Amino acid sequence: LVERILDHPLRFAAISLFWQPAFWYIARRLRKLGVPVIFIAHNLFDHDASSAKKRISGTLLKGADGYLVHSSKDAGQLAELIGESRPVVCRNLPSPTTFPQPTNEKIVGDRLEALFIGFIRPYKGLDLLVEAYSSLSDNERKRVHLAVVGEVWGDEEGLRNQLDALGIDHNLSFVSEQQMVDYVHACDVVVLPYRTASGSAVIPLAYHL
């Protein structure tokens, strides 16, 4: 059944509650016509969603014949939501093949080059990383160069002031794919102190580079 559905489905990415009602309606009409529908769900629920929004998403997610998710956590939650009547396939996000090659050379220095990169939202735990960095002694900070890169969903000015006070390099804006590749290629370690996560595209990119 899984292979049959995955061979000739019509796929929709049921990622955000904003889009889910439209996807549910289209899927419902297509299923009446006998067209199998798979929801590709990078996240089952919006990050930081309220319990009411999760209930709505849970109802709308039931409108497909099969599902593709990117983490065992989402697979387990989805199985509890829909039961065992429809297939749930879990596949990790693959190593990227469409990103550009780095334009910078990797420079090996005396400091550990640490990088936080991606959209800056509360669930990603950047505050935990900043707190940990601030707890280092002056000598320890000289051995670690921390950079924070990404668009801020929240108090950008407050974060900027905090990073400046600690001497943490930052680029608090959305960056292109080329810039993202260059940032990751230049660092020694990508730090992702997420409080919760169902998957991150930064992880396969870091492995790839």
Side-chain angles (χ1 to χ4, degrees):
L1 176 61
V2 175
E3 296 303 325
R4 207 158 60 238
I5 289 178
L6 288 176
D7 278 344
H8 303 289
L10 186 65
R11 299 178 177 89
F12 294 113
I15 295 175
S16 170
L17 179 59
F18 179 83
W19 297 107
Q20 282 176 345
F23 289 150
W24 176 87
Y25 175 76
I26 296 170
R28 184 169 179 268
R29 297 293 299 272
L30 289 169
R31 292 176 74 194
K32 283 187 174 181
L33 295 174
V35 179
V37 175
I38 291 175
F39 282 164
I40 303 174
H42 179 61
N43 302 307
L44 295 183
F45 311 106
D46 285 344
H47 293 295
D48 307 319
S50 65
S51 58
K53 286 184 176 180
K54 286 184 177 181
R55 285 196 297 271
I56 295 171
S57 289
T59 299
L60 298 176
L61 279 168
K62 295 178 181 179
D65 298 291
Y67 304 84
L68 175 64
V69 296
H70 300 308
S71 72
S72 57
K73 176 183 176 182
D74 277 350
Q77 287 184 326
L78 190 54
E80 291 180 5
L81 180 67
I82 65 172
E84 299 181 357
S85 59
R86 282 163 282 180
V88 177
V89 176
C90 180
R91 293 288 184 271
N92 292 331
L93 288 169
S95 178
T97 58
T98 59
F99 275 77
Q101 293 298 309
T103 59
N104 54 340
E105 292 186 11
K106 172 65 179 173
I107 300 175
V108 179
D110 297 331
R111 299 185 300 176
L112 177 70
E113 297 290 337
L115 173 68
F116 176 101
I117 191 166
F119 288 119
I120 300 172
R121 301 177 65 179
Y123 77 90
K124 293 195 173 183
L126 175 59
D127 59 310
L128 303 176
L129 175 58
V130 173
E131 180 182 349
Y133 184 81
S134 67
S135 71
L136 298 176
S137 67
D138 290 341
N139 286 335
E140 288 172 328
R141 286 188 202 172
K142 292 177 182 178
R143 298 167 53 194
V144 179
H145 175 249
L146 175 60
V148 174
V149 178
E151 182 179 320
V152 181
W153 291 31
D155 182 8
E156 180 178 337
E157 183 178 358
L159 177 59
R160 187 186 307 276
N161 292 337
Q162 185 182 23
L163 298 179
D164 286 340
L166 291 168
I168 298 174
D169 281 347
H170 55 78
N171 179 2
L172 303 183
S173 62
F174 183 85
V175 296
S176 67
E177 287 187 353
Q178 183 66 69
Q179 290 173 303
M180 187 173 185
V181 166
D182 289 345
Y183 274 117
V184 174
H185 182 248
C187 75
D188 298 311
V189 56
V190 175
V191 187
L192 303 174
Y194 293 4
R195 285 183 163 83
T196 61
S198 56
S200 170
V202 177
I203 294 174
L205 176 61
Y207 284 147
H208 178 67
L209 293 168

